[in-house]
Amino acid sequence: MEADTRVESNRKVSVGLQFGPFLKKTLPKYLFIIPAFLFVVMFMLYPIFYNIFISFQDVTIMNLKGDKSFIGLENYRQIFQDERFLLSLKNTVIYTVSCIVFQLSIGFLLALFFNQKFPMRNFFRSILLLAWMTPLVITGTLFKWLYDVDYGVLNYLLIQIGLISEPINWLGQQSTALMAIIVTNIWIGIPFNMILLLSALQALPNDVYEAAKIDGASRIQSFFKITLPLMKPATLVVLVLGIIYTFKVFDIILIMTGGGPVNATQVLPFFGYELAFVNFKFSLSGAVATIILVILTVISLIYLYLIRKEESM
């Protein structure tokens, strides 16, 4: 019995001696991770789960610090029956699709252009990046001045070349307000798409193009048979990032139109903002934010599926 106890004690001591150096070696690594982990939990995961939690409650300015009743899916039922939500969803889809199509196509064309060697290429490329690097508050204010019905440069130029006979209130009428916001965001997003696609183009192997040239392939054939297939993974990344970034638009809308006129530029993030900080209906706003989260999560899962399918092929 004493021999068994002695063996067990020796085994524990041996395990402790082995575990000690391992702990001493790995513990500092985890100590460096702890601040980032706490940041993610406190400022990302906690707000997300708390937002989902209050979307199933009745939370307003009146009971913000008191008891909150659980009402299940009632908030979601009210949201889906609200005409402003349907209009916001429609505007968001139109805005996102329009911006992504033009940003991706123009950005890809510019990436192909700047992939060629010519004098001052880096200078012009850096100039284009200024549009993306400029703070959105400044960009929105500048475009608001450009679209101004009385003093805007856009109306002045269009009148001078004879395309219009009188100034157009671009941001003040329902038929043109959303289009003006879309043009603004396209201008902002083109450099972002260009720089990512250009990096992918420069990483393509040259030997494939040299082999195709030896086989007699033209530039057009090389583009459609080599460049586009090899660029598919990078294009998917840019596409998903663009959709997520564009779908959650808020600041440009707030600066330029405030969701007007008559909800013509109302989008889902701005609709949720108004519910929370104008109408003080926090649970309804939480439901809108949760719907946005679900939509973007589905898009991300589709992206992961396509990437996995591409890698398996």
Side-chain angles (χ1 to χ4, degrees):
M1 186 69 179
E2 293 181 359
D4 293 340
T5 304
R6 191 179 300 110
V7 170
E8 181 66 21
S9 177
N10 292 335
R11 189 184 67 82
K12 291 181 179 180
V13 171
S14 177
V15 171
L17 292 175
Q18 294 176 1
F19 184 73
F22 173 79
L23 185 64
K24 185 178 180 180
K25 183 178 180 180
T26 58
L27 184 60
K29 300 179 182 179
Y30 289 103
L31 290 177
F32 282 107
I33 298 175
I34 289 175
F37 175 76
L38 293 177
F39 178 84
V40 171
V41 171
M42 293 175 60
F43 297 102
M44 295 181 66
L45 295 180
Y46 172 73
I48 289 174
F49 286 108
Y50 181 73
N51 175 81
I52 296 174
F53 180 70
I54 67 171
S55 69
F56 296 102
Q57 295 181 322
D58 181 20
V59 184
T60 63
I61 191 66
M62 302 302 295
N63 64 348
L64 188 60
K65 293 186 177 181
D67 295 332
K68 306 171 184 65
S69 58
F70 180 82
I71 58 175
L73 298 175
E74 179 63 23
N75 289 320
Y76 293 92
R77 186 188 67 81
Q78 292 185 31
I79 287 296
F80 282 110
Q81 291 180 351
D82 194 329
E83 294 182 358
R84 292 179 300 166
F85 170 78
L86 299 177
L87 178 62
S88 300
L89 180 60
K90 174 186 172 183
N91 289 339
T92 305
V93 172
I94 294 174
Y95 175 86
T96 302
V97 172
S98 302
C99 290
I100 292 302
V101 168
F102 285 100
Q103 286 177 355
L104 191 61
S105 57
I106 299 175
F108 193 82
L109 292 175
L110 287 174
L112 291 172
F113 175 72
F114 283 108
N115 197 37
Q116 310 300 317
K117 294 182 179 180
F118 57 89
M120 301 183 70
R121 177 183 65 168
N122 293 331
F123 171 76
F124 289 112
R125 188 168 61 186
S126 61
I127 290 297
L128 283 176
L129 279 176
L130 290 176
W132 179 65
M133 295 171 62
T134 304
L136 290 176
V137 175
I138 298 176
T139 303
T141 305
L142 288 175
F143 271 88
K144 191 174 181 179
W145 290 344
L146 289 175
Y147 290 131
D148 189 87
V149 63
D150 296 318
Y151 309 106
V153 176
L154 181 60
N155 279 327
Y156 174 78
L157 293 176
L158 293 178
I159 291 175
Q160 292 300 313
I161 62 180
L163 291 180
I164 59 175
S165 57
E166 58 183 15
I168 298 176
N169 191 2
W170 297 100
L171 298 176
Q173 57 186 18
Q174 292 178 269
S175 58
T176 58
L178 184 60
M179 181 188 67
I181 300 292
I182 290 173
V183 171
T184 304
N185 193 67
I186 289 173
W187 185 83
I188 295 171
I190 285 175
F192 175 76
N193 288 262
M194 179 202 71
I195 199 67
L196 292 181
L197 293 172
L198 178 59
S199 301
L201 281 173
Q202 293 177 340
L204 296 181
N206 291 325
D207 53 350
V208 179
Y209 291 95
E210 293 174 358
K213 187 176 181 180
I214 294 174
D215 292 337
S218 63
R219 286 190 174 184
I220 296 178
Q221 289 175 327
S222 298
F223 175 75
F224 285 102
K225 299 294 184 179
I226 299 176
T227 304
L228 285 183
L230 292 178
M231 286 290 293
K232 187 176 180 181
T235 305
L236 282 175
V237 172
V238 175
L239 181 63
V240 172
L241 290 177
I243 291 175
I244 294 174
Y245 180 79
T246 307
F247 198 90
K248 61 183 185 65
V249 60
F250 173 78
D251 32 26
I252 289 293
I253 302 294
L254 178 65
I255 295 164
M256 297 185 67
T257 62
V262 197
N263 297 323
T265 58
Q266 183 80 273
V267 291
L268 285 180
F270 197 83
F271 177 54
Y273 161 79
E274 285 192 337
L275 286 174
F277 300 106
V278 177
N279 300 325
F280 301 109
K281 298 179 180 179
F282 301 107
S283 54
L284 291 176
S285 176
V288 173
T290 304
I291 292 171
I292 295 174
L293 175 65
V294 170
I295 294 174
L296 295 181
T297 302
V298 170
I299 294 173
S300 301
L301 291 176
I302 294 174
Y303 160 74
L304 293 175
Y305 168 77
L306 293 176
I307 286 295
R308 186 174 300 176
K309 185 178 179 181
E310 185 72 18
E311 291 176 350
S312 63
M313 292 176 61

